[in-house]
Amino acid sequence: MSWDYYDARERKDKLERAISKRQKRGERFEVLAAPAGQKKLSTTFWGQAWCRNLESYQQYESRLPRGRSYLRQGKVYNLEIESGKLSAVVAGSDLYETSIHIQPLSNKRWQEIVAEGSGQVSSMLDLLAGKLGDGLMQLLTDPERGLFPKPKEIRFDCSCPDYADMCKHVSAVLYGVGVLLDSKPELLFTLRGVDQAELLSSASSTTMADLGGDGELAGSDLSALFGINFGTAVEVPVEPVPVVKSKRRATKKSPV
Ligand SMILES: [Zn+2]
């Protein structure tokens, strides 16, 4: 057995110990499952468009293959996407905390997209599935005017000792977004800080804006709009409601 074999074995054991220590503390530790081998990393419109955008920037080129292979080996954990931010833990020689800040889309850029795209999207399902007309598809994926971030809008930070501009852990997380968008395409809009509903039609976006003023919808408005119980006001009775056998009108009871 070579020293390399022992080194690799020791590193693997060390990582497993670090992961189980976190799990014992009750921390979430969820691997981002990605296709291994030569299979396509992303299979949907939004996932593939995200990866194509990354690969279009020359300054990322040298770091992307290592990140892609890390992701395929199941080394990206706890990937979270929120407005303007990605975070994940990546297992390299150690567990590294990675965070990536992505500037939200400027209001001007989004309003231009909405103005051009509004009315061209027939349903949220079509939008999220990428079933769009050629013109809108080109607009949304346009490197200058579209939804995807440019390198100057991306800042990253990783706890690893790699001083390269972009380490393989950051690159793995960026590719991980492409994989996650396959199952949750709406997260692209979340990440860029925009509301995809505004693209549906000018009529529906007006209704939403009217209801919520500055876009902040009150819970009661949402309940009325979608018929959803948000679980705060109504208590469901535990006892079954007794059947009234008499034909006489039952006394009206106050609600439980
Ligand atoms: Zn790193």
Side-chain angles (χ1 to χ4, degrees):
M1 297 291 171
S2 70
W3 285 111
D4 281 353
Y5 171 82
Y6 284 110
D7 271 2
R9 185 62 213 240
E10 203 176 301
R11 265 205 310 273
K12 193 162 176 266
D13 287 351
K14 196 178 143 206
L15 273 179
E16 278 170 7
R17 280 199 301 276
I19 291 173
S20 83
K21 206 165 131 191
R22 287 186 179 211
Q23 284 170 332
K24 275 181 194 153
R25 285 204 301 252
E27 285 178 33
R28 165 179 165 246
F29 221 79
E30 223 169 78
V31 69
L32 177 68
Q38 298 298 312
K39 283 184 195 157
K40 275 186 181 171
L41 210 49
S42 290
T43 52
T44 64
F45 171 75
W46 290 112
Q48 288 180 339
W50 173 270
C51 294
R52 260 201 311 276
N53 179 65
L54 280 184
E55 289 163 0
S56 70
Y57 300 112
Q58 213 177 358
Q59 65 260 55
Y60 294 165
E61 209 175 276
S62 62
R63 286 290 163 154
L64 290 177
R66 287 297 301 278
R68 201 163 49 214
S69 123
Y70 260 43
L71 177 66
R72 287 189 190 278
Q73 291 167 38
K75 293 183 173 195
V76 175
Y77 297 87
N78 296 358
L79 176 58
E80 294 278 356
I81 297 184
E82 51 195 296
S83 179
K85 195 183 169 197
L86 306 169
S87 58
V89 177
V90 182
S93 307
D94 205 338
L95 292 178
Y96 300 117
E97 308 285 337
T98 301
S99 64
I100 301 171
H101 291 269
I102 294 184
Q103 211 174 299
L105 209 65
S106 75
N107 193 40
K108 183 173 169 280
R109 202 152 130 210
W110 176 239
Q111 288 312 324
E112 282 170 9
I113 292 176
V114 169
E116 277 189 57
S118 169
Q120 291 187 47
V121 187
S122 48
S123 73
M124 185 60 79
L125 273 180
D126 282 353
L127 175 63
L128 295 180
K131 289 183 185 165
L132 307 164
D134 287 349
L136 183 58
M137 200 182 278
Q138 268 170 20
L139 171 66
L140 292 174
T141 56
D142 186 279
E144 289 302 320
R145 304 167 61 222
L147 274 179
F148 295 100
K150 297 192 268 281
K152 66 175 185 190
E153 297 171 312
I154 305 176
R155 297 277 173 276
F156 24 78
D157 190 26
C158 181
S159 63
C160 78
D162 188 344
Y163 290 108
D165 193 24
M166 181 201 273
C167 64
K168 50 200 179 244
H169 316 111
V170 164
S171 145
V173 174
L174 284 171
Y175 263 120
V177 174
V179 171
L180 197 56
L181 291 182
D182 272 357
S183 56
K184 295 178 177 173
E186 66 278 11
L187 288 178
L188 173 64
F189 298 89
T190 306
L191 179 65
R192 303 311 318 271
V194 295
D195 177 7
Q196 66 270 30
E198 288 180 42
L199 272 176
L200 286 191
S201 71
S202 48
S204 60
S205 61
T206 307
T207 313
M208 296 290 278
D210 287 350
L211 272 171
D214 294 334
E216 289 276 318
L217 290 176
S220 57
D221 288 336
L222 278 176
S223 304
L225 193 61
F226 299 115
I228 299 167
N229 168 21
F230 285 89
T232 47
V234 184
E235 278 186 27
V236 179
V238 179
E239 294 293 321
V241 179
V243 178
V244 181
K245 285 178 183 165
S246 157
K247 282 187 178 173
R248 271 184 300 159
R249 200 174 165 177
T251 319
K252 198 176 177 186
K253 288 179 184 170
S254 56
V256 180

